[in-house]
Each structure stands twice: as C-alpha cells, then as structure tokens.
Amino acid sequence: METKAPGRKEREYRRRRREILEAALRLFSTNGYHNVTMNEIAVQAEFAVGTLYKFFSNKEALYRALMTEKLDEYLQEWDSAVDWTGDEISIIRESVKAHVGIFNRNLDYVRLYLSEAKSASFSLRAGMEQEMKTKIRGMTDKVAGVFERGMRKGIFRRTNPLYMMLALDGMIDAFLLEGLENPAISIVEPDPILDLFFNGALLKERDEDA
Amino acid sequence: METKAPGRKEREYRRRRREILEAALRLFSTNGYHNVTMNEIAVQAEFAVGTLYKFFSNKEALYRALMTEKLDEYLQEWDSAVDWTGDEISIIRESVKAHVGIFNRNLDYVRLYLSEAKSASFSLRAGMEQEMKTKIRGMTDKVAGVFERGMRKGIFRRTNPLYMMLALDGMIDAFLLEGLENPAISIVEPDPILDLFFNGALLKERDEDA
DNA sequence: CACTTAATAGAATTAATATTCACATTAAGT
DNA sequence: ACTTAATGTGAATATTAATTCTATTAAGTG
C-alpha cells in the first residue's frame, strides 16, 4: 500500500482523471445527471467516450466518484479552516464563515449536490447517499459537540445539541440556497444570520457583534 | 367559462385522472422520476399505457400536473388552517404548526418534491420550477408580512422580514427533513423549535411557552 | 530505429422505454 | 336490439443513450 512517490505516470493519470471529473461537474451541474450523455462529457473533456470507460466503469461510477471526492475536499477544507480550540461562540462563528466561504467557492458542486444527491433516482442502486451522509455526519457531530460543551459552560441554552446544530444549519442553508437562485440575497457575510441565531441560542441577551 | 355543475361525466373523468396521479405519486416518491416507467404507472393505476396518454400528453406533463396540483392543495390547506387575524406571535406559531402537520400528512409528496422538484433535470424544459416558486412565494410573503407587522409593533427584532422568514423556514425544514430520514427525530410538536427561534426573534427574553 | 505496450478513438451494438395507433370494449341514447 | 360515441387496450415503433470492441495512434524501451 505505497502512498508516496506518485511518479510521472501516476500523476498524468490523476490529471486526466480530474479533467474528466471537472468536465462532468460542469455539465451535470447545469443540466442534471440524466440530461448529460457520456458523449457530451467526452467532448467537454476532450476525450472519446471509450476513454472515459478506461477511467470509470460506467456513468454512475463516474458520478459517484465526482460527488464523494468533492465532498471530501469540501469537508476537509471546512475542517482545516476552523480553529477548533477557541471558545465555543468563536468556533461556531468560524465554522459558519468557513461553510459560507466554501459554499460560495463551489457553487457548481453545491448546485449539483442539492439537486441530485438526495434524489431518489439513486436510492435503489443506493450506497452513495448513505456514504455521503456518514461523511457529513462527522462534521455535524463535531459542531454538535461544540454546542454541548457550550451548554455545560452555561453559554448556550440547554437543549439537545443536535437540535441546535440542525437549527443553525437549516438557517444557513436556507440563506445559501436562496442566494443560489436570487443573487441579491447571496451571503458573503453571515453575521446577521449568526446574530439571529445566537440571540436564541445564548442564554442571555448580549451585545453579540456590535 | 362555466365553473359550476361538474356533471357525472366530468366527475368521472376527474376521478380517473386523480387515480392516475395518485398511482404516479406512489411510484415516483419511492423510485424517482427516471426510475418509473409509464407502464408501471399504468399497472399501478389499473389502466393500459395508452389510456394514460388520453389524460396526459406525455410523462413529463403527468409529472408536472402531479407536482403543481399537489402544491396547490398543500398551500391552500396551509393558508386556511391559519387564522391570520390574531397577534403576530400566534400567527407564526399556528403557521408553523400547520406546516408541520401538512408535511407529515403528505410525506410521499414532500419526499418527491425535495428529491426531484429542484432537480436540474427539468430546468431546461423549465417553467415548472419557476411556476412552483411563484406559488410558494405567495405564502412566504404572507409570513414575511406578519414579521414586518410584528417588527413595527416592537415584538420582533428589526431586520429584513424576509431574512427572518428564511431563518424560520430553514430551521423548520431542517428538522422536517431530518425527521424524514431519521424517524426518531420526526417532529409532531414544533414547540422546541419555535422556542429556539423566538428567543432570537423576540426583542426581549420571555417565558415563551412554559 | 524496430518493436512492444499502453492509450485513445468512435462506429456499431444493445437495452430500455416513451409514445403511437388501429382495434376492441363499454356505455348512452333511441 | 341497435347505432354511435366515448373510452380503453397493448403490441409495434421510434428514439435515445449507455456500453462494448476493434482499429489506430502514441509512448516507452533496449
């Protein structure tokens, strides 16, 4: 299980593979999985169909690779953008800001994720949805953990930390989603949302971010 | 443009049409649009394929009729379940309770809506997504209006009422969605969520629902 | 520079399924 | 009982697109 020494061959392979995935992402995110043909992907990636099959065993495998690998990047970027050692309020703030930032830098992927990933179209061939949920779970649990700690310290109102996490996440997603379709609302600075959230999450009325 | 007097003929026609739509809903919601064939719908509805085409010009038209008509029912039920004349806090409470109730009574539809309606699969043949958004917009504006009134009266914190609406909606949806996959979290009583929301939405700390 | 191996191409094959249409059945009216 | 109109049928057709497979080209090697 050598992990080191990629080597020219390997690197070239990786690069081509990545090019295919990026071409596919562009197409899928605008047209949707079922409205993109392997031929179109091939053209966009500047390969022939046959070649795609040297990289991915079929269309769905290509799609799955795309979704799961992007998700990994997304979550990893998120995780490393946050300093998880600070005080609970700062962590939540940072976490949300990181999320918003990464979201805005990956609109193609996000659009695809929201429109197709939860789609029942794949629930039969299944697996992927579950796999993705597990990955995401790691992150949400981490955030819920922060809430829990904050609750013990008397910073946050006492509830099920998971609920609090869900509430925050739901709020953020609602804004991000709205911004996706109505760019006028697009968030860059999540402070107003955090403010709205904290003044429910904090045990006492505070001067949150003035 | 006679609207009255449906007549036996007309009623029969309606009933059969509805049966087809219900059969389609069952199938679509479990398998997804692309994994359901017209034949399956025909079998499920106890008609022959050809008959389906007497009611709907093609598969997509059937799907669109299903989605938009159900949405109309959904929104109308919501609207009439709420007494829009009370005080702002009660209206919001009632509205949320109505939403949760209707959601839980229409899980098939909701599941389909969430998984396919926003799907890019239709964005080209378009129209529907926009049409649905407009319908929904009517309801969200109504709620935002309640927030606005409440803000003027000094009940709610001052922000863009649309933001507040989005935040509440996002929270509710997050819980409902979670409940869809993890029945242990399924909400019947939305009070804890409202509590979390209000103690950010209300200008002062209050004893909300004890 | 022969020669072997790997990479790429894209036309041909295959499979799935939406849609049509000529005919059969049923119901309504006389 | 008979005629006609409305409804329903489902095998046949047409379309679309995933996948395969063999020929072609390029890269690596001694």
Side-chain angles (χ1 to χ4, degrees), chain B residues 49-141:
Chain B
V49 240
T51 308
L52 301 189
Y53 285 85
K54 291 278 157 69
F55 289 84
F56 304 97
S57 60
N58 56 45
K59 189 183 177 186
E60 195 180 332
L62 190 163
Y63 176 78
R64 287 167 83 118
L66 173 59
M67 295 311 280
T68 57
E69 288 172 27
K70 267 277 173 188
L71 181 60
D72 282 339
E73 287 174 33
Y74 195 106
L75 291 176
Q76 211 227 287
E77 194 180 340
W78 188 350
D79 191 56
S80 60
V82 177
D83 171 9
W84 297 92
T85 62
D87 69 292
E88 286 70 22
I89 294 180
S90 306
I91 297 177
I92 296 299
R93 272 188 185 293
E94 273 184 49
S95 163
V96 168
K97 287 194 180 185
H99 184 181
V100 171
I102 301 166
F103 185 102
N104 284 320
R105 258 176 282 119
N106 289 279
L107 293 180
D108 272 0
Y109 172 66
V110 167
R111 198 168 271 125
L112 181 56
Y113 176 77
L114 291 173
S115 64
E116 306 268 5
K118 356 188 110 168
S119 167
S121 312
F122 298 100
S123 62
L124 296 179
R125 305 164 198 179
M128 183 182 69
E129 210 194 344
Q130 202 48 51
E131 183 187 342
M132 297 185 82
K133 215 164 286 169
T134 306
K135 286 176 199 282
I136 292 172
R137 189 62 189 237
M139 180 54 68
T140 57
D141 280 355

Side-chain angles (χ1 to χ4, degrees), chain B residues 11-22:
Chain B
R11 259 179 299 137
E12 281 282 301
Y13 174 83
R14 285 269 142 205
R15 190 176 51 67
R16 277 169 295 174
R17 195 184 124 100
R18 167 158 285 270
E19 270 169 23
I20 293 172
L21 289 177
E22 276 168 9

Side-chain angles (χ1 to χ4, degrees), chain A residues 34-35 121 157 163 175 199-200, chain B residues 34-35 121 157 175 199-200:
Chain A
H34 289 284
N35 295 319
S121 312
R157 171 189 312 278
Y163 280 24
F175 282 86
N199 288 302
Chain B
H34 290 283
N35 295 318
S121 312
R157 172 189 310 278
F175 281 88
N199 288 300

Side-chain angles (χ1 to χ4, degrees), chain A residues 6 12 33 35 37 43 55 74 89 95 97 111 115 145 189:
Chain A
E12 281 283 299
Y33 181 80
N35 295 319
T37 69
V43 170
F55 289 84
Y74 196 106
I89 294 180
S95 163
K97 288 194 180 186
R111 198 169 272 125
S115 63
E189 271 308 312

Side-chain angles (χ1 to χ4, degrees), chain A residues 75-130:
Chain A
L75 291 176
Q76 212 228 288
E77 194 179 339
W78 187 350
D79 191 55
S80 59
V82 176
D83 172 8
W84 297 92
T85 63
D87 68 292
E88 287 69 21
I89 294 180
S90 306
I91 297 176
I92 296 299
R93 272 188 186 292
E94 273 184 47
S95 163
V96 168
K97 288 194 180 186
H99 184 181
V100 171
I102 300 166
F103 185 102
N104 284 320
R105 258 175 284 120
N106 289 279
L107 294 180
D108 272 0
Y109 172 66
V110 167
R111 198 169 272 125
L112 181 56
Y113 176 77
L114 291 173
S115 63
E116 308 267 3
K118 354 188 112 169
S119 167
S121 312
F122 298 100
S123 62
L124 296 179
R125 306 164 197 180
M128 182 181 71
E129 209 194 345
Q130 203 47 52

